[in-house]
Amino acid sequence: MAAEDVEGKATIQIQAPPEKVYDMITDVTRMGEWSPETVRAEWVGGATGPAVGARFKGHNKLGLARWSTTPTVKVADPGKEFTFETGKPGKEATRWTYRFMPKDGGTELTESFEALRYGAFMKLTAKPEKRAAKLTGDIQQTLERIKRAAEGTA
């Protein structure tokens, strides 16, 4: 399985405006509230919020494994799209995208991921198709938690 085959997405309807949902998600310090793998995140390198080129550090866990990444923001279009990429040259790299579409008085939120490079470490520790299925399930859980928070039912 090639890196380009390791991808997934999920969509949810949220009864809150796209701008509100965008502001919640781009406050990366809150990602630990929603993500099953991300424990916490903070802006780094002088960044204080979403802007193309800004970086943040995400601290993650899966079972006993712990790791961190320092993604770079690629798209920061308020109320429309937030995209960032993890990885370093020669290592695993993934593009994460959130798209916000006005729908039925709220927001249709889609989160997706796409492996840009699937490195040797991941090939040894996790079969790509199993990792893709796990991440897709995690995305659904993340979106459900964001929905509850945005709608005030968390």
Side-chain angles (χ1 to χ4, degrees):
M1 177 175 267
E4 59 270 12
D5 296 327
V6 181
E7 60 187 19
K9 71 178 182 177
T11 300
I12 199 165
Q13 178 68 26
I14 299 174
Q15 292 308 307
E19 296 77 16
K20 175 182 178 179
V21 181
Y22 177 90
D23 288 346
M24 289 174 63
I25 289 171
T26 59
D27 178 358
V28 299
T29 64
R30 296 191 68 189
M31 193 50 69
E33 296 175 37
W34 306 310
S35 171
E37 282 191 9
T38 301
V39 177
R40 72 181 196 284
E42 66 270 346
W43 293 105
V44 297
T48 58
V52 174
R55 296 176 59 91
F56 61 93
K57 187 168 190 173
H59 305 271
N60 307 291
K61 69 173 178 60
L62 178 60
L64 296 176
R66 305 284 186 268
W67 71 98
S68 64
T69 61
T70 307
T72 301
V73 175
K74 299 296 184 179
V75 179
D77 189 357
K80 295 184 178 152
E81 182 179 338
F82 181 58
T83 297
F84 58 88
E85 292 180 4
T86 66
K88 297 177 183 175
K91 303 261 184 178
E92 291 82 16
T94 305
R95 177 180 299 126
W96 291 89
T97 300
Y98 294 85
R99 288 199 171 89
F100 310 81
M101 296 293 296
K103 184 176 179 188
D104 298 332
T107 304
E108 182 180 85
L109 174 62
T110 299
E111 180 182 359
S112 63
F113 71 92
E114 171 190 5
L116 305 174
R117 286 185 307 279
Y118 206 75
F121 175 75
M122 289 304 291
K123 288 178 185 173
L124 289 173
T125 60
K127 294 192 181 297
E129 60 276 6
K130 286 187 178 181
R131 182 70 176 143
K134 163 97 171 71
L135 287 174
T136 301
D138 286 354
I139 286 174
Q140 187 63 50
Q141 187 175 3
T142 298
L143 294 181
E144 289 167 4
R145 290 172 175 174
I146 291 168
K147 174 183 174 75
R148 285 192 300 273
E151 293 178 351
T153 59

